[in-house]
Amino acid sequence: CGVEAMEMETEAGGRVAAKENVDPVANRGAISPEMDAHEEKELPVTVALMVRPLVGAELVDGCRECVSVHATEPSVSLVSEHKFTYDHVYHGSGASEKALYAQCVEPLVRGLLGGYNATVLAYGQTGSGKTFTMGTARDASRDFASETEREPLGVIPRVMRTLFERVAALPGDTSVAIKVGFIEIHKEEIRDLLRPKSAVTLRDAPDGGGVALVGAREKEVRTIEEMAKALRDGSNARATAATGMNDRSSRSHAIFTIHVETVSAGADAPGDVTRAKMHLVDLAGSERAKRTKAEGARLQEGIQINKGLLALGNVISALGDDKRRRAKGAHVPYRDSKLT
Ligand SMILES: Nc1ncnc2c1ncn2[C@@H]1O[C@H](COP(=O)(O)OP(=O)(O)OP(=O)(O)O)[C@@H](O)[C@H]1O
Ligand SMILES: [Mg+2]
């Protein structure tokens, strides 16, 4: 049964994280009994678990669900009776996609216009439904009216809809510029999905503000249709291949970034500029070569995917360790992988 986890962060200028059901970090979170209310408020990361329904091939093979979702609390149990607790747990299709968006992602889109950076990551084993949930599949950004119970819209199309609705509702004297970027990290190389032949390199940003993607296009979009086209074109350019566990497995980490710049002309704060960005990340799935039956190029990809995810796990552990995060000169190993 596919299980995937998503993490979101609201801290301005902050970093990102993700993890899966069997990860030791699974029970860390705002719901931990050791935390008091004050600490809960400070926690910059929310973890939501989406358990997808069994898909065609699994039903044909006679698979049965191995995760039971608790009715009264956001936790699940595996057949082994290990219990894992999250901030939110969703199960199934349709209504659960809507609830996940409303509870975990929509507040971040509202924050984006207020100048807060945010990241949403889909993390989980290969075939667990990350691409489906994020909406970076090949039919990305299909007509919003085409949403059905069986084919719900993904997170990214919903973000677009909320963003443009909120921009339309801003006072007339506020101007908003929106740009999008879409890159993939494939075997530790970065490619621009909006301009597939161009190479992208990572450099330290000149102002000491993190890293810059040199050569990656930031495309200005004025309408939801233009943004949807960028998502669709980039998703089509992404590296995918069939493996033993997913006939359209993402072989790269894909990052769709929305940059928003708001200039207010109101009497209170004329000329005030607010900038923020939102990263929407569809990671490649963690995998075991034995189960994906990967060989040759697929196996090499799998090794790189697992390496990147391991580095991400280490960064999350460092960030999630409150003492380590606050300590002066604390080391967070961001440079172990291009993903981090
Ligand atoms: N919530 C869901 N409801 C119905 N079907 C789903 C759901 N989530 C995923 N699926 C189906 O499960 C299959 C695998 O999903 P998907 O390709 O999104 O997995 P993935 O996690 O991105 O895998 P990989 O890491 O290999 O890229 C697809 O056929 C997809 O349509
Ligand atoms: Mg995928």
Side-chain angles (χ1 to χ4, degrees), residues 130-132 238 246 248-250 282-285:
K130 300 176 293 296
T131 300
F132 183 97
R238 190 174 172 198
N246 185 356
R248 200 169 277 169
S249 179
S250 317
D282 173 15
L283 293 166

Side-chain angles (χ1 to χ4, degrees), residues 100-168:
L100 175 139
Y101 179 72
Q103 291 173 330
C104 303
V105 186
E106 197 174 9
L108 304 181
V109 185
R110 293 201 296 267
L112 189 63
L113 286 168
Y116 289 94
N117 294 338
T119 296
V120 179
L121 282 165
Y123 178 84
Q125 143 176 329
T126 179
S128 57
K130 300 176 293 296
T131 300
F132 183 97
T133 303
M134 291 305 286
T136 34
R138 278 166 191 263
D139 62 349
S141 76
R142 56 184 212 278
D143 182 4
F144 292 113
S146 71
E147 179 172 29
T148 62
E149 190 70 13
R150 283 195 59 209
E151 289 190 67
L153 286 174
V155 164
I156 303 180
R158 287 180 203 272
V159 166
M160 294 179 187
R161 187 163 57 180
T162 308
L163 180 63
F164 280 95
E165 275 169 10
R166 296 194 76 86
V167 167

Side-chain angles (χ1 to χ4, degrees), residues 113 170-176 261-274:
L113 286 168
L170 287 173
D173 53 9
T174 306
S175 70
V176 180
E261 185 178 292
T262 315
V263 184
S264 161
D268 305 345
D272 250 18
V273 182
T274 309

Side-chain angles (χ1 to χ4, degrees), residues 171-322:
D173 53 9
T174 306
S175 70
V176 180
I178 302 175
K179 287 182 185 166
V180 292
F182 201 2
I183 56 154
E184 73 172 346
I185 305 172
H186 184 231
K187 295 198 280 183
E188 277 299 278
E189 274 173 28
I190 306 176
R191 292 197 313 158
D192 187 348
L193 290 173
L194 298 182
R195 213 166 30 183
K197 291 213 166 67
S198 70
V200 177
T201 47
L202 268 185
R203 298 261 166 80
D204 283 311
D207 53 2
V211 289
L213 285 169
V214 181
R217 181 174 181 199
E218 280 176 15
K219 184 177 188 299
E220 184 153 7
V221 289
R222 289 171 200 282
T223 61
I224 189 165
E225 288 77 21
E226 285 179 14
M227 194 186 264
K229 185 175 182 312
L231 176 65
R232 191 168 51 243
D233 292 350
S235 297
N236 284 334
R238 190 174 172 198
T240 58
T243 71
M245 286 184 72
N246 185 356
D247 57 11
R248 200 169 277 169
S249 179
S250 317
R251 311 308 293 163
S252 65
H253 308 297
I255 307 175
F256 188 79
T257 305
I258 303 174
H259 303 261
V260 179
E261 185 178 292
T262 315
V263 184
S264 161
D268 305 345
D272 250 18
V273 182
T274 309
R275 286 190 196 90
K277 62 185 170 187
M278 180 177 229
H279 293 301
L280 297 145
V281 188
D282 173 15
L283 293 166
S286 58
E287 55 186 50
R288 293 203 181 127
K290 224 181 184 173
R291 294 188 65 192
T292 53
K293 301 187 179 69
E295 290 174 356
R298 290 289 85 76
L299 180 64
Q300 286 311 313
E301 274 172 358
I303 292 169
Q304 292 291 347
I305 291 169
N306 287 343
K307 264 191 183 168
L309 294 173
L310 177 69
L312 181 62
N314 290 340
V315 165
I316 294 160
S317 297
L319 291 174
D321 181 339
D322 213 31

Side-chain angles (χ1 to χ4, degrees), residues 10-67:
T10 52
E11 198 175 51
R15 286 274 175 172
V16 189
K19 66 172 191 31
E20 73 178 317
N21 58 326
V22 289
D23 192 295
V25 219
N27 290 320
R28 174 199 57 74
I31 38 181
S32 159
E34 301 85 47
M35 282 193 175
D36 63 29
H38 173 70
E39 281 174 316
E40 279 186 24
K41 275 209 185 98
E42 280 200 348
L43 206 82
V45 178
T46 298
V47 184
L49 181 78
M50 169 71 83
V51 184
R52 73 151 163 76
L54 293 173
V55 292
E58 292 162 343
L59 292 169
V60 169
D61 288 348
C63 297
R64 279 182 303 160
E65 295 217 358
C66 59
V67 174

